[in-house]
Amino acid sequence: MSTETLVHEYFSSGTLSGLPDGHFIDGAFVAASGGRSMETFDPGAARAFHAFAAGDGSDVDRAVDAARRAQRDWARTKASARGAILFRAAQIIRAEAARLAVVESLDSGKALQEAEGDVASAARSFEYYAGAADKIQGDTFPLGTDYIGYSIEEPVGVTAHIIPWNYPLSTAARSIAPALAAGCTVVAKPAEQTPLTALMLADILFRAGLPAGVCSVITGTGAEAGGPLVAHPGIRHVTFTGSVPTGIRVMQSAAANVTSVVLELGGKSPLIVMADADMDAAVEGVLGAIYENAGQICSAGSRLVVERKVHAELVERLAVRASGLTLGHGLRRPQVGALSSGAHLDKVAGYVEGARGRGITIAAGGERATDPESGTGWFFQPTILDAVRADDPVIQEEIFGPVLSVQVVEGEEEAVAIANGTDFGLVAGIYTRDFGRAHRMARDIDAGQVYINEYFAGGIEVPFGGNKLSGFGREKGFEALRSYTRTKSLAAKIS
């Protein structure tokens, strides 16, 4: 079914036919043990459009039990055969991209073209780890002629994946794919705001040939489903993407079972523009860094650190462009989509109102908005807060919305100090024509990933993760496979 047909169906009926409404456990969609359901909302219209299973600890037990039963056979499946299944899953994702993208846009509020990019990213993740599956290998140790020493990489076992609401499908893919490639089984819990594409992905994997029980998806709230999952004694690793407070609780729960964790938490990432930068490229980079997905990105370039010589020019150009960006329902392909919920809209608006009350200059935006065609939805104007003090809350705290906070510096040394001036350390961006300067600054900035002259450069091949309160461990690239394997060393006397 084409994208246009699906969009027409939604705007005509208020929903889409055939959406999943149960957990996906042991190869099948099943109702919640307690028979309860909850609603998922279209942020662009601020209304519910579907209901899904509200799970609890009993459902988690079912899924983990299925994963444990499936673990041994999946781990012993030939690595190339595991890779072949992941590659078939990538092919199905591409074949069903239109439906996945429309559902992702509806569930999250993001612009349809962004959702289409996310679907392509998910397919690419499965292609990448399909190729990696038969390249996970051990090492040999030089113990002398009378001994042989070697290591093998084993799957850690059953893994839990807590998926955030801002990038439901692509974030699920980037952790589920390496786990499966390594021979682990998976139980995933998507955010209650955006449950649908994770369920669709589990079904796609099953249709691609993944054995029953190897990948299950449980839906429900974090307290009733996510909490029991990360605390389950059958889980050997947790990959969590979300807020710092929740990440701390996840780590505390996992510690009781000595379960390993990867935490990808918040960010307050600096985007540095030096006076010698290509200003046209910098303008485009800043706009994409903060207004993509309405700023609801952990790695968003939410702080513009700009050299004073070009501060006025750059902010003026950004303000004109930001004020001209179109807002609207995601399925109408606006430049900026909706925020995820009414509560989140209130949070973003509260930060801006606080800044206004403290006398901070609002160079663009600063107000709530609605879809211009329907007059509904949870929207906030693309906003620029200019010349903000380093200790202000809009500099130090993650807003997670389309709000850019500007910090003015005198040169390279101050730019690095300001870039490092928060408790976060996820990513950073640098715009300069001086490559020596760029790499000096990249060396000295405390972040897990640094972009030079293109924000969000890279792809699934490049490891991703943060320092400080932004978490630890790495996703993407071959580095991600380390989270899902454990090294076994062997030594033998042979003479």
Side-chain angles (χ1 to χ4, degrees):
M1 190 177 293
S2 71
T3 300
E4 292 73 20
T5 301
L6 290 162
V7 171
H8 177 74
E9 178 188 352
Y10 176 75
F11 282 129
S12 298
S13 68
T15 190
L16 291 176
S17 59
L19 293 174
D21 58 7
H23 307 303
F24 192 89
I25 300 176
D26 210 10
F29 285 108
V30 297
S33 297
R36 297 181 300 127
S37 64
M38 56 193 300
E39 292 178 318
T40 187
F41 287 77
D42 170 6
R47 65 171 189 85
F49 71 97
H50 187 61
F52 62 97
D56 57 24
S58 298
D59 300 299
V60 169
D61 288 342
R62 293 161 65 192
V64 175
D65 286 348
R68 294 174 80 171
R69 291 194 303 272
Q71 175 61 51
R72 178 175 175 176
D73 287 346
W74 180 242
R76 293 187 175 185
T77 298
K78 192 174 181 179
S80 59
R82 294 200 300 265
I85 292 171
L86 299 189
F87 189 76
R88 284 197 294 273
Q91 292 177 308
I92 298 173
I93 290 170
R94 293 194 187 280
E96 299 179 6
R99 184 171 180 82
L100 285 164
V102 169
V103 173
E104 190 82 330
S105 176
L106 275 179
D107 226 6
S108 68
K110 67 177 59 184
L112 182 54
Q113 67 272 18
E114 294 179 357
E116 289 168 341
D118 294 350
V119 174
S121 174
R124 177 69 189 120
S125 293
F126 280 96
E127 289 170 348
Y128 180 84
Y129 288 109
D134 60 359
K135 298 166 186 67
I136 302 170
Q137 58 191 35
D139 204 351
T140 59
F141 314 122
L143 301 181
T145 57
D146 293 335
Y147 295 87
I148 185 169
Y150 64 96
S151 65
I152 57 176
E153 297 297 320
E154 300 177 329
V156 297
V158 183
T159 60
H161 303 248
I162 307 299
I163 302 163
W165 50 258
N166 58 335
Y167 282 86
L169 181 61
S170 59
T171 305
R174 81 181 186 196
S175 67
I176 291 174
L180 295 176
C184 299
T185 54
V186 166
V187 180
K189 210 295 284 185
E192 57 262 39
Q193 297 92 338
T194 53
L196 299 179
T197 50
L199 292 165
M200 295 166 72
L201 176 60
D203 179 58
I204 286 171
L205 285 163
F206 184 67
R207 287 187 279 131
L210 199 70
V214 174
C215 181
S216 294
V217 173
I218 300 296
T219 55
T221 66
E224 294 190 313
L229 177 59
V230 300
H232 199 289
I235 296 296
R236 299 313 315 142
H237 173 81
V238 177
T239 293
F240 171 84
T241 303
S243 70
V244 173
T246 306
I248 292 171
R249 292 196 295 272
V250 165
M251 187 161 56
Q252 290 170 335
S253 294
N257 296 310
V258 197
T259 300
S260 63
V261 296
V262 164
L263 299 179
E264 200 270 276
L265 308 177
K268 196 68 186 178
S269 299
L271 196 164
I272 300 170
V273 178
M274 303 303 292
D276 68 337
D278 179 333
M279 282 299 126
D280 291 337
V283 167
E284 297 302 323
V286 173
L287 290 170
I290 187 57
Y291 299 131
E292 182 179 326
N293 199 24
Q296 298 170 119
I297 310 176
C298 54
S299 54
S302 55
R303 290 189 294 139
L304 171 59
V305 179
V306 58
E307 200 166 5
R308 188 174 300 279
K309 294 176 184 178
V310 292
H311 163 241
E313 174 196 351
L314 183 56
V315 170
E316 181 179 3
R317 291 180 63 176
L318 288 170
V320 171
R321 291 288 300 279
S323 299
L325 295 174
T326 59
L327 280 70
H329 193 283
L331 295 185
R332 297 190 178 100
R333 298 184 182 273
Q335 291 172 300
V336 180
L339 298 183
S340 64
S341 68
H344 190 54
L345 173 59
D346 289 342
K347 174 190 171 184
V348 172
Y351 271 106
V352 175
E353 285 306 306
R356 182 181 280 116
R358 292 188 296 276
I360 293 173
T361 298
I362 299 178
E367 303 292 342
R368 297 171 186 253
T370 56
D371 172 34
E373 293 201 28
S374 67
T376 61
W378 299 310
F379 295 86
F380 199 83
Q381 294 175 340
T383 297
I384 300 174
L385 307 176
D386 195 18
V388 186
R389 289 168 48 98
D391 60 352
D392 195 88
V394 300
I395 294 294
Q396 294 297 325
E397 299 173 18
E398 187 175 39
I399 300 174
F400 220 66
V403 180
L404 178 68
S405 300
V406 181
Q407 297 177 271
V408 186
V409 297
E410 302 299 335
E412 176 183 331
E413 185 175 344
E414 186 182 6
V416 171
I418 287 292
N420 290 335
T422 75
D423 290 331
F424 297 100
L426 189 52
V427 307
I430 302 168
Y431 278 77
T432 176
R433 285 188 170 94
D434 184 335
F435 237 51
R437 169 190 283 164
H439 286 281
R440 283 195 307 272
M441 297 174 79
R443 175 197 64 197
D444 295 336
I445 290 172
D446 190 356
Q449 186 171 1
V450 179
Y451 307 119
I452 297 175
N453 291 331
E454 181 186 322
Y455 209 83
F456 296 134
I460 189 62
E461 302 87 353
V462 182
F464 175 75
N467 305 336
K468 300 190 285 187
L469 289 188
S470 292
F472 55 83
R474 295 295 181 261
E475 298 190 79
K476 301 170 61 174
F478 264 70
E479 191 71 20
L481 294 165
R482 297 179 185 274
S483 300
Y484 304 105
T485 61
R486 59 191 179 199
T487 302
K488 177 180 286 184
S489 299
L490 300 97
K493 186 173 183 180
I494 58 176
S495 64

